[in-house]
Amino acid sequence: MLRLRASEIAAAVDGELHGDDVTVTGSVETDSRLLTDGSVFFAMPGEVTDGHRFVDAAIAAGAVLVVAERPLEQDVPHIVVADGVVALGALAADVIRRVRETGELTVIGVTGSNGKTTTKNMLQAILEQHGSTVSPVKSFNNEVGAPMTMLRIDESTRYLVLEMGASIEGDIARLTAMAHPDLGVVLKVGLAHAGEFGGIETTTRAKTEMVRDLGETHVAVLNRDDERVRGMAAATRARIAWFGTDEGTSDEPVALRASDIDSTLEGTVATIHRGDETWRLRLRILGEHHVMNALAALTVADALGLDLDRAIEALGEMARAERGRMELLEPGGGITVINDAYNASPDSTAAALRSLAHMTRQAGRRSIAVLGEMAELGPHAVEEHDRLGRLAVRVRIDRLVVVGEGAKPIHDAAELESSFGQDTTWVATADEAEALLRRELVAGDVVLFKSSNVSGLQPLADRMGGR
């Protein structure tokens, strides 16, 4: 973070400073275990514990300033605020303002129901070739995680890439007001988190908030293939840079287009078009759906005037999208594991199943899908799990193992869709799934693990992958 005095931070967060006006030289943290000398500790109440309980640990770790929601007994400079989360966001907005005034900061916001983390990682790989780039750790994209990413910048930062997630309407608008993105990317609108939003139309409104609040000098990077994203053009004042798989129209030409998309167990390929120019994209990342994420990242690079040859080369060097996201593991014995169990939505799970079926048919290998619950679907949960069970049969997945009560409609639907139901099994726990797989797997099998993180399949995928 920027070097700031406690009084400057107090002014930014509308808080009351108690103690000396110390200078902060370290990072801002909400976890006392991450603190180093010169850092700021935000002591905030949480769902599991209260950050105020860890003030002593924060001081011992080197924190020189604490931001708290009540006066502290400890002898440490601290700022008292009404709401720690609001204060964190206010400080992030102030730091971005200061860096913009003294540096050449460009902010890129990325939102969408699927693909945010992969696209963020792709942008990091491209942009870091051209200047100091800050992007989220893992998928920090909420009211706490996004400001924490913003607070990692300093005067030397050239690019800031932000994931913008939401659980209710207004969340993305608040993040946009903090960061004021120069470019806003919308990847896709789907049923991820639909239970929290209450339906697809509410999700669409929430994802529209970023492009709605972009200015006339900004760029909205929009997926022309997604009908709901396409409709966002009417909501923004920004210049639109379209990406997709069709050529667009004379009125709405596509900036970058992909064709000849194919995916194997060795990676994913596509031809990228910009007018009459073409490039061959070769990703080590598995799954045809990642071509759209690559297109989004390349469209940002193009809008910034960066060299596309270098950008495409950078994407080709990426070993994986992210841990637990279509990650290829080779445990030995001729078995291949694809760990995609960090997160799941109906769209991403369907894409993973189609990719598995396509890749294994090309390679002449047996496909096995181990599926857990997709969380946060609300009233759509049974219907969407049912739909995926039928899809698994229709794309000819050879063996289906369904784990957990919440995912059981996948198994039930697959049994009904298939002739005899002999290729699908439901088990209650990951341990049962592991025992079944260790009995059944043979050389040549390709096993996909796909679920929301709360289902607990990622550790199983890691074990089965030999990690």
Side-chain angles (χ1 to χ4, degrees):
M1 192 185 79
L2 291 176
R3 186 184 183 96
L4 294 173
R5 299 194 66 82
S7 57
E8 293 175 306
I9 295 174
V13 302
D14 192 24
E16 182 181 355
L17 175 61
H18 297 253
D20 296 337
D21 190 12
V22 294
T23 299
V24 172
T25 59
S27 61
V28 175
E29 304 292 350
T30 60
D31 186 336
S32 62
R33 296 168 294 184
L34 302 178
L35 291 161
T36 56
D37 289 343
S39 297
V40 182
F41 177 55
F42 268 71
M44 296 188 294
E47 294 180 2
V48 178
T49 188
D50 187 339
H52 295 83
R53 296 174 51 198
F54 299 94
V55 170
D56 288 335
I59 297 169
V64 296
L65 179 67
V66 176
V67 178
E69 294 186 1
R70 56 179 181 263
L72 301 177
E73 296 178 356
Q74 290 90 340
D75 184 19
V76 61
H78 60 281
I79 298 170
V80 179
V81 297
D83 187 307
V85 173
V86 172
L88 186 70
L91 180 57
D94 187 68
V95 165
I96 286 182
R97 177 186 62 80
R98 290 173 182 268
V99 173
R100 283 192 186 277
E101 289 175 353
T102 60
E104 296 183 356
L105 180 67
T106 298
V107 180
I108 301 105
V110 181
T111 194
S113 300
N114 308 110
K116 294 187 293 297
T117 299
T118 299
T119 303
K120 171 264 295 186
N121 289 340
M122 289 177 165
L123 283 167
Q124 175 75 39
I126 292 170
L127 298 174
E128 66 187 4
Q129 301 178 102
H130 302 276
S132 174
T133 302
V134 172
S135 63
V137 177
K138 296 183 180 179
S139 56
F140 284 6
N141 60 29
N142 62 10
E143 60 187 353
V144 174
M148 292 292 290
T149 301
M150 299 176 203
L151 288 167
R152 288 170 46 212
I153 68 173
D154 59 26
E155 296 94 340
S156 70
T157 305
R158 180 67 183 87
Y159 300 104
L160 170 62
V161 182
L162 296 169
E163 287 189 52
M164 294 190 173
S167 54
I168 59 171
E169 284 190 84
D171 281 353
I172 293 175
R174 282 186 284 275
L175 297 179
T176 302
M178 290 178 205
H180 297 288
D182 301 285
L183 298 94
V185 181
V186 187
L187 299 167
K188 187 177 183 61
V189 176
L191 280 172
H193 313 295
E196 295 178 333
F197 282 110
I200 193 69
E201 297 308 321
T202 309
T203 303
T204 303
R205 290 197 300 271
K207 301 301 182 185
T208 303
E209 290 169 1
M210 179 173 61
V211 296
R212 181 197 66 198
D213 294 343
L214 295 176
E216 294 178 356
T217 61
H218 300 152
V219 181
V221 178
L222 303 180
N223 177 2
R224 187 173 173 81
D225 287 9
D226 187 294
E227 180 181 3
R228 293 183 176 88
V229 176
R230 197 161 61 243
M232 294 179 187
T236 187
R237 297 171 292 160
R239 176 173 71 84
I240 297 172
W242 296 105
F243 66 92
T245 58
D246 70 71
E247 298 181 3
T249 65
S250 57
D251 293 332
E252 295 181 342
V254 173
L256 292 182
R257 177 173 66 89
S259 67
D260 306 319
I261 301 169
D262 194 18
S263 188
T264 70
L265 289 168
E266 283 71 50
T268 306
V269 297
T271 300
I272 305 300
H273 305 261
R274 182 178 65 184
D276 294 331
E277 299 175 276
T278 62
W279 292 261
R280 194 60 173 163
L281 174 69
R282 299 182 185 278
L283 300 174
R284 294 162 68 184
I285 301 169
L286 302 182
E288 294 183 9
H289 51 295
H290 286 306
V291 170
M292 293 302 288
N293 301 328
L295 264 184
L298 291 170
T299 304
V300 169
D302 187 51
L304 292 171
L306 304 181
D307 183 76
L308 282 186
D309 288 290
R310 288 184 66 184
I312 288 170
E313 183 180 354
L315 295 186
E317 291 173 354
M318 292 179 65
R320 63 186 183 185
E322 176 87 357
R323 181 169 178 178
R325 296 176 190 265
M326 293 299 284
E327 182 181 11
L328 189 70
L329 303 173
E330 300 281 1
I335 295 167
T336 297
V337 170
I338 301 172
N339 183 355
D340 198 20
Y342 180 81
N343 206 356
S345 69
D347 288 335
S348 69
T349 306
L353 287 172
R354 291 190 180 100
S355 292
L356 174 66
H358 176 71
M359 292 185 294
T360 50
R361 273 199 299 275
Q362 281 190 324
R365 299 175 66 175
R366 185 169 73 135
S367 57
I368 301 169
V370 183
L371 304 182
E373 181 180 2
M374 300 177 294
E376 300 175 349
L377 293 179
H380 305 280
V382 172
E383 175 188 353
E384 291 302 319
H385 285 88
D386 177 285
R387 185 172 66 87
L388 288 171
R390 298 176 189 279
L391 177 66
V393 174
R394 290 168 186 171
V395 299
R396 302 199 304 277
I397 299 299
D398 295 311
R399 183 76 170 95
L400 184 61
V401 179
V402 180
V403 186
E405 190 64 38
K408 195 169 186 294
I410 298 175
H411 164 73
D412 294 341
E415 263 197 329
L416 290 171
E417 187 74 15
S418 61
S419 299
F420 303 102
Q422 74 273 23
D423 294 323
T424 177
T425 302
W426 176 82
V427 295
T429 68
D431 288 342
E432 291 177 72
E434 181 171 4
L436 182 153
L437 291 168
R438 293 200 183 279
R439 288 194 307 269
E440 290 192 5
L441 293 184
V442 296
D445 288 349
V446 181
V447 191
L448 167 74
F449 291 84
K450 182 67 175 174
S451 70
S452 292
N453 197 33
V454 295
S455 297
L457 288 192
Q458 187 170 356
L460 172 57
D462 283 340
R463 291 196 301 273
M464 295 300 301
R467 175 173 283 150

PDB file of all heavy atoms in Angstrom, residues 382-406:
ATOM      1  N   VAL A 382     -33.026 -27.982  -7.778  1.00  0.00           N
ATOM      2  CA  VAL A 382     -33.409 -29.313  -8.253  1.00  0.00           C
ATOM      3  C   VAL A 382     -33.444 -29.339  -9.771  1.00  0.00           C
ATOM      4  O   VAL A 382     -32.902 -30.256 -10.416  1.00  0.00           O
ATOM      5  CB  VAL A 382     -34.763 -29.738  -7.658  1.00  0.00           C
ATOM      6  CG1 VAL A 382     -35.241 -31.032  -8.301  1.00  0.00           C
ATOM      7  CG2 VAL A 382     -34.652 -29.910  -6.150  1.00  0.00           C
ATOM      8  N   GLU A 383     -34.065 -28.348 -10.374  1.00  0.00           N
ATOM      9  CA  GLU A 383     -34.190 -28.294 -11.834  1.00  0.00           C
ATOM     10  C   GLU A 383     -32.823 -28.295 -12.516  1.00  0.00           C
ATOM     11  O   GLU A 383     -32.602 -29.008 -13.502  1.00  0.00           O
ATOM     12  CB  GLU A 383     -34.975 -27.046 -12.235  1.00  0.00           C
ATOM     13  CG  GLU A 383     -35.067 -26.809 -13.732  1.00  0.00           C
ATOM     14  CD  GLU A 383     -35.680 -25.464 -14.061  1.00  0.00           C
ATOM     15  OE1 GLU A 383     -36.150 -24.765 -13.139  1.00  0.00           O
ATOM     16  OE2 GLU A 383     -35.682 -25.109 -15.253  1.00  0.00           O
ATOM     17  N   GLU A 384     -31.884 -27.488 -11.988  1.00  0.00           N
ATOM     18  CA  GLU A 384     -30.582 -27.366 -12.650  1.00  0.00           C
ATOM     19  C   GLU A 384     -29.718 -28.605 -12.441  1.00  0.00           C
ATOM     20  O   GLU A 384     -28.982 -29.010 -13.339  1.00  0.00           O
ATOM     21  CB  GLU A 384     -29.861 -26.111 -12.157  1.00  0.00           C
ATOM     22  CG  GLU A 384     -30.507 -24.821 -12.620  1.00  0.00           C
ATOM     23  CD  GLU A 384     -30.592 -24.722 -14.143  1.00  0.00           C
ATOM     24  OE1 GLU A 384     -29.617 -25.115 -14.821  1.00  0.00           O
ATOM     25  OE2 GLU A 384     -31.634 -24.270 -14.651  1.00  0.00           O
ATOM     26  N   HIS A 385     -29.804 -29.225 -11.264  1.00  0.00           N
ATOM     27  CA  HIS A 385     -29.082 -30.480 -11.070  1.00  0.00           C
ATOM     28  C   HIS A 385     -29.674 -31.580 -11.957  1.00  0.00           C
ATOM     29  O   HIS A 385     -28.949 -32.390 -12.551  1.00  0.00           O
ATOM     30  CB  HIS A 385     -29.117 -30.893  -9.597  1.00  0.00           C
ATOM     31  CG  HIS A 385     -28.205 -30.079  -8.720  1.00  0.00           C
ATOM     32  ND1 HIS A 385     -28.603 -28.904  -8.132  1.00  0.00           N
ATOM     33  CD2 HIS A 385     -26.921 -30.270  -8.352  1.00  0.00           C
ATOM     34  CE1 HIS A 385     -27.591 -28.416  -7.427  1.00  0.00           C
ATOM     35  NE2 HIS A 385     -26.560 -29.218  -7.543  1.00  0.00           N
ATOM     36  N   ASP A 386     -30.984 -31.611 -12.066  1.00  0.00           N
ATOM     37  CA  ASP A 386     -31.667 -32.566 -12.937  1.00  0.00           C
ATOM     38  C   ASP A 386     -31.199 -32.396 -14.383  1.00  0.00           C
ATOM     39  O   ASP A 386     -30.899 -33.373 -15.083  1.00  0.00           O
ATOM     40  CB  ASP A 386     -33.177 -32.350 -12.827  1.00  0.00           C
ATOM     41  CG  ASP A 386     -33.981 -33.256 -13.746  1.00  0.00           C
ATOM     42  OD1 ASP A 386     -34.010 -32.985 -14.967  1.00  0.00           O
ATOM     43  OD2 ASP A 386     -34.582 -34.221 -13.251  1.00  0.00           O
ATOM     44  N   ARG A 387     -31.111 -31.154 -14.829  1.00  0.00           N
ATOM     45  CA  ARG A 387     -30.717 -30.878 -16.214  1.00  0.00           C
ATOM     46  C   ARG A 387     -29.312 -31.413 -16.508  1.00  0.00           C
ATOM     47  O   ARG A 387     -29.046 -31.942 -17.589  1.00  0.00           O
ATOM     48  CB  ARG A 387     -30.761 -29.370 -16.469  1.00  0.00           C
ATOM     49  CG  ARG A 387     -30.481 -28.958 -17.894  1.00  0.00           C
ATOM     50  CD  ARG A 387     -30.747 -27.475 -18.099  1.00  0.00           C
ATOM     51  NE  ARG A 387     -29.813 -26.658 -17.354  1.00  0.00           N
ATOM     52  CZ  ARG A 387     -28.608 -26.279 -17.811  1.00  0.00           C
ATOM     53  NH1 ARG A 387     -28.201 -26.688 -19.012  1.00  0.00           N
ATOM     54  NH2 ARG A 387     -27.830 -25.519 -17.089  1.00  0.00           N
ATOM     55  N   LEU A 388     -28.420 -31.295 -15.532  1.00  0.00           N
ATOM     56  CA  LEU A 388     -27.055 -31.760 -15.744  1.00  0.00           C
ATOM     57  C   LEU A 388     -26.959 -33.285 -15.775  1.00  0.00           C
ATOM     58  O   LEU A 388     -26.131 -33.848 -16.491  1.00  0.00           O
ATOM     59  CB  LEU A 388     -26.131 -31.187 -14.675  1.00  0.00           C
ATOM     60  CG  LEU A 388     -25.856 -29.693 -14.844  1.00  0.00           C
ATOM     61  CD1 LEU A 388     -25.122 -29.143 -13.645  1.00  0.00           C
ATOM     62  CD2 LEU A 388     -25.061 -29.433 -16.119  1.00  0.00           C
ATOM     63  N   GLY A 389     -27.795 -33.962 -14.995  1.00  0.00           N
ATOM     64  CA  GLY A 389     -27.825 -35.415 -15.067  1.00  0.00           C
ATOM     65  C   GLY A 389     -28.228 -35.901 -16.444  1.00  0.00           C
ATOM     66  O   GLY A 389     -27.633 -36.850 -16.992  1.00  0.00           O
ATOM     67  N   ARG A 390     -29.225 -35.253 -17.014  1.00  0.00           N
ATOM     68  CA  ARG A 390     -29.653 -35.612 -18.369  1.00  0.00           C
ATOM     69  C   ARG A 390     -28.577 -35.277 -19.398  1.00  0.00           C
ATOM     70  O   ARG A 390     -28.348 -36.034 -20.361  1.00  0.00           O
ATOM     71  CB  ARG A 390     -30.975 -34.917 -18.700  1.00  0.00           C
ATOM     72  CG  ARG A 390     -32.108 -35.353 -17.774  1.00  0.00           C
ATOM     73  CD  ARG A 390     -33.406 -34.606 -18.038  1.00  0.00           C
ATOM     74  NE  ARG A 390     -34.379 -34.903 -16.995  1.00  0.00           N
ATOM     75  CZ  ARG A 390     -35.137 -35.991 -16.961  1.00  0.00           C
ATOM     76  NH1 ARG A 390     -35.033 -36.884 -17.930  1.00  0.00           N
ATOM     77  NH2 ARG A 390     -35.982 -36.186 -15.973  1.00  0.00           N
ATOM     78  N   LEU A 391     -27.907 -34.132 -19.198  1.00  0.00           N
ATOM     79  CA  LEU A 391     -26.844 -33.741 -20.123  1.00  0.00           C
ATOM     80  C   LEU A 391     -25.700 -34.751 -20.099  1.00  0.00           C
ATOM     81  O   LEU A 391     -25.149 -35.101 -21.152  1.00  0.00           O
ATOM     82  CB  LEU A 391     -26.320 -32.352 -19.761  1.00  0.00           C
ATOM     83  CG  LEU A 391     -25.151 -31.847 -20.612  1.00  0.00           C
ATOM     84  CD1 LEU A 391     -25.592 -31.622 -22.049  1.00  0.00           C
ATOM     85  CD2 LEU A 391     -24.565 -30.564 -20.023  1.00  0.00           C
ATOM     86  N   ALA A 392     -25.339 -35.221 -18.915  1.00  0.00           N
ATOM     87  CA  ALA A 392     -24.240 -36.194 -18.806  1.00  0.00           C
ATOM     88  C   ALA A 392     -24.517 -37.438 -19.649  1.00  0.00           C
ATOM     89  O   ALA A 392     -23.610 -37.994 -20.283  1.00  0.00           O
ATOM     90  CB  ALA A 392     -24.021 -36.582 -17.348  1.00  0.00           C
ATOM     91  N   VAL A 393     -25.771 -37.876 -19.673  1.00  0.00           N
ATOM     92  CA  VAL A 393     -26.143 -39.036 -20.484  1.00  0.00           C
ATOM     93  C   VAL A 393     -26.116 -38.672 -21.963  1.00  0.00           C
ATOM     94  O   VAL A 393     -25.596 -39.417 -22.803  1.00  0.00           O
ATOM     95  CB  VAL A 393     -27.536 -39.552 -20.080  1.00  0.00           C
ATOM     96  CG1 VAL A 393     -27.994 -40.672 -21.016  1.00  0.00           C
ATOM     97  CG2 VAL A 393     -27.514 -40.053 -18.639  1.00  0.00           C
ATOM     98  N   ARG A 394     -26.632 -37.492 -22.295  1.00  0.00           N
ATOM     99  CA  ARG A 394     -26.762 -37.116 -23.708  1.00  0.00           C
ATOM    100  C   ARG A 394     -25.411 -36.868 -24.375  1.00  0.00           C
ATOM    101  O   ARG A 394     -25.265 -37.101 -25.578  1.00  0.00           O
ATOM    102  CB  ARG A 394     -27.654 -35.880 -23.829  1.00  0.00           C
ATOM    103  CG  ARG A 394     -29.111 -36.190 -23.497  1.00  0.00           C
ATOM    104  CD  ARG A 394     -29.951 -34.943 -23.338  1.00  0.00           C
ATOM    105  NE  ARG A 394     -31.312 -35.278 -22.892  1.00  0.00           N
ATOM    106  CZ  ARG A 394     -32.205 -34.388 -22.516  1.00  0.00           C
ATOM    107  NH1 ARG A 394     -31.904 -33.092 -22.508  1.00  0.00           N
ATOM    108  NH2 ARG A 394     -33.398 -34.776 -22.122  1.00  0.00           N
ATOM    109  N   VAL A 395     -24.430 -36.371 -23.610  1.00  0.00           N
ATOM    110  CA  VAL A 395     -23.107 -36.177 -24.217  1.00  0.00           C
ATOM    111  C   VAL A 395     -22.261 -37.442 -24.101  1.00  0.00           C
ATOM    112  O   VAL A 395     -21.102 -37.461 -24.476  1.00  0.00           O
ATOM    113  CB  VAL A 395     -22.364 -34.965 -23.601  1.00  0.00           C
ATOM    114  CG1 VAL A 395     -23.145 -33.681 -23.837  1.00  0.00           C
ATOM    115  CG2 VAL A 395     -22.071 -35.173 -22.121  1.00  0.00           C
ATOM    116  N   ARG A 396     -22.848 -38.491 -23.536  1.00  0.00           N
ATOM    117  CA  ARG A 396     -22.248 -39.827 -23.472  1.00  0.00           C
ATOM    118  C   ARG A 396     -21.039 -39.892 -22.535  1.00  0.00           C
ATOM    119  O   ARG A 396     -19.978 -40.425 -22.903  1.00  0.00           O
ATOM    120  CB  ARG A 396     -21.914 -40.350 -24.873  1.00  0.00           C
ATOM    121  CG  ARG A 396     -23.122 -40.409 -25.800  1.00  0.00           C
ATOM    122  CD  ARG A 396     -22.900 -41.336 -26.976  1.00  0.00           C
ATOM    123  NE  ARG A 396     -21.737 -41.026 -27.778  1.00  0.00           N
ATOM    124  CZ  ARG A 396     -21.704 -40.116 -28.747  1.00  0.00           C
ATOM    125  NH1 ARG A 396     -22.798 -39.409 -29.005  1.00  0.00           N
ATOM    126  NH2 ARG A 396     -20.614 -39.935 -29.448  1.00  0.00           N
ATOM    127  N   ILE A 397     -21.197 -39.337 -21.338  1.00  0.00           N
ATOM    128  CA  ILE A 397     -20.211 -39.586 -20.283  1.00  0.00           C
ATOM    129  C   ILE A 397     -20.303 -41.056 -19.924  1.00  0.00           C
ATOM    130  O   ILE A 397     -21.387 -41.588 -19.676  1.00  0.00           O
ATOM    131  CB  ILE A 397     -20.481 -38.700 -19.054  1.00  0.00           C
ATOM    132  CG1 ILE A 397     -20.382 -37.214 -19.418  1.00  0.00           C
ATOM    133  CG2 ILE A 397     -19.534 -39.060 -17.912  1.00  0.00           C
ATOM    134  CD1 ILE A 397     -19.024 -36.776 -19.921  1.00  0.00           C
ATOM    135  N   ASP A 398     -19.172 -41.765 -19.871  1.00  0.00           N
ATOM    136  CA  ASP A 398     -19.204 -43.215 -19.675  1.00  0.00           C
ATOM    137  C   ASP A 398     -19.607 -43.617 -18.269  1.00  0.00           C
ATOM    138  O   ASP A 398     -20.303 -44.619 -18.079  1.00  0.00           O
ATOM    139  CB  ASP A 398     -17.828 -43.807 -20.001  1.00  0.00           C
ATOM    140  CG  ASP A 398     -17.467 -43.646 -21.464  1.00  0.00           C
ATOM    141  OD1 ASP A 398     -18.314 -43.978 -22.314  1.00  0.00           O
ATOM    142  OD2 ASP A 398     -16.359 -43.173 -21.753  1.00  0.00           O
ATOM    143  N   ARG A 399     -19.175 -42.862 -17.266  1.00  0.00           N
ATOM    144  CA  ARG A 399     -19.435 -43.247 -15.867  1.00  0.00           C
ATOM    145  C   ARG A 399     -19.693 -41.993 -15.054  1.00  0.00           C
ATOM    146  O   ARG A 399     -18.940 -41.014 -15.136  1.00  0.00           O
ATOM    147  CB  ARG A 399     -18.217 -43.993 -15.306  1.00  0.00           C
ATOM    148  CG  ARG A 399     -18.404 -44.510 -13.877  1.00  0.00           C
ATOM    149  CD  ARG A 399     -19.287 -45.756 -13.880  1.00  0.00           C
ATOM    150  NE  ARG A 399     -19.301 -46.409 -12.587  1.00  0.00           N
ATOM    151  CZ  ARG A 399     -20.234 -46.193 -11.639  1.00  0.00           C
ATOM    152  NH1 ARG A 399     -21.217 -45.324 -11.861  1.00  0.00           N
ATOM    153  NH2 ARG A 399     -20.188 -46.864 -10.502  1.00  0.00           N
ATOM    154  N   LEU A 400     -20.772 -41.998 -14.297  1.00  0.00           N
ATOM    155  CA  LEU A 400     -21.157 -40.852 -13.487  1.00  0.00           C
ATOM    156  C   LEU A 400     -21.189 -41.258 -12.020  1.00  0.00           C
ATOM    157  O   LEU A 400     -21.826 -42.254 -11.665  1.00  0.00           O
ATOM    158  CB  LEU A 400     -22.541 -40.349 -13.926  1.00  0.00           C
ATOM    159  CG  LEU A 400     -23.092 -39.082 -13.268  1.00  0.00           C
ATOM    160  CD1 LEU A 400     -22.182 -37.886 -13.538  1.00  0.00           C
ATOM    161  CD2 LEU A 400     -24.501 -38.793 -13.792  1.00  0.00           C
ATOM    162  N   VAL A 401     -20.484 -40.478 -11.183  1.00  0.00           N
ATOM    163  CA  VAL A 401     -20.510 -40.675  -9.735  1.00  0.00           C
ATOM    164  C   VAL A 401     -20.971 -39.361  -9.118  1.00  0.00           C
ATOM    165  O   VAL A 401     -20.332 -38.323  -9.298  1.00  0.00           O
ATOM    166  CB  VAL A 401     -19.122 -41.068  -9.182  1.00  0.00           C
ATOM    167  CG1 VAL A 401     -19.187 -41.248  -7.668  1.00  0.00           C
ATOM    168  CG2 VAL A 401     -18.613 -42.336  -9.856  1.00  0.00           C
ATOM    169  N   VAL A 402     -22.077 -39.405  -8.414  1.00  0.00           N
ATOM    170  CA  VAL A 402     -22.685 -38.203  -7.836  1.00  0.00           C
ATOM    171  C   VAL A 402     -22.526 -38.262  -6.318  1.00  0.00           C
ATOM    172  O   VAL A 402     -22.823 -39.290  -5.695  1.00  0.00           O
ATOM    173  CB  VAL A 402     -24.172 -38.101  -8.228  1.00  0.00           C
ATOM    174  CG1 VAL A 402     -24.799 -36.851  -7.632  1.00  0.00           C
ATOM    175  CG2 VAL A 402     -24.314 -38.105  -9.754  1.00  0.00           C
ATOM    176  N   VAL A 403     -22.070 -37.134  -5.733  1.00  0.00           N
ATOM    177  CA  VAL A 403     -21.696 -37.123  -4.323  1.00  0.00           C
ATOM    178  C   VAL A 403     -22.527 -36.095  -3.549  1.00  0.00           C
ATOM    179  O   VAL A 403     -22.564 -34.918  -3.911  1.00  0.00           O
ATOM    180  CB  VAL A 403     -20.197 -36.793  -4.158  1.00  0.00           C
ATOM    181  CG1 VAL A 403     -19.789 -36.921  -2.694  1.00  0.00           C
ATOM    182  CG2 VAL A 403     -19.334 -37.691  -5.031  1.00  0.00           C
ATOM    183  N   GLY A 404     -23.191 -36.550  -2.488  1.00  0.00           N
ATOM    184  CA  GLY A 404     -23.887 -35.640  -1.584  1.00  0.00           C
ATOM    185  C   GLY A 404     -25.373 -35.522  -1.860  1.00  0.00           C
ATOM    186  O   GLY A 404     -25.837 -35.671  -2.998  1.00  0.00           O
ATOM    187  N   GLU A 405     -26.111 -35.241  -0.798  1.00  0.00           N
ATOM    188  CA  GLU A 405     -27.569 -35.162  -0.891  1.00  0.00           C
ATOM    189  C   GLU A 405     -28.018 -34.076  -1.854  1.00  0.00           C
ATOM    190  O   GLU A 405     -28.961 -34.252  -2.627  1.00  0.00           O
ATOM    191  CB  GLU A 405     -28.160 -34.918   0.501  1.00  0.00           C
ATOM    192  CG  GLU A 405     -29.669 -35.055   0.573  1.00  0.00           C
ATOM    193  CD  GLU A 405     -30.157 -36.472   0.268  1.00  0.00           C
ATOM    194  OE1 GLU A 405     -29.479 -37.432   0.679  1.00  0.00           O
ATOM    195  OE2 GLU A 405     -31.205 -36.598  -0.390  1.00  0.00           O
ATOM    196  N   GLY A 406     -27.344 -32.915  -1.807  1.00  0.00           N
ATOM    197  CA  GLY A 406     -27.768 -31.808  -2.659  1.00  0.00           C
ATOM    198  C   GLY A 406     -27.604 -32.086  -4.141  1.00  0.00           C
ATOM    199  O   GLY A 406     -28.294 -31.477  -4.971  1.00  0.00           O
TER     200      GLY A 406
END
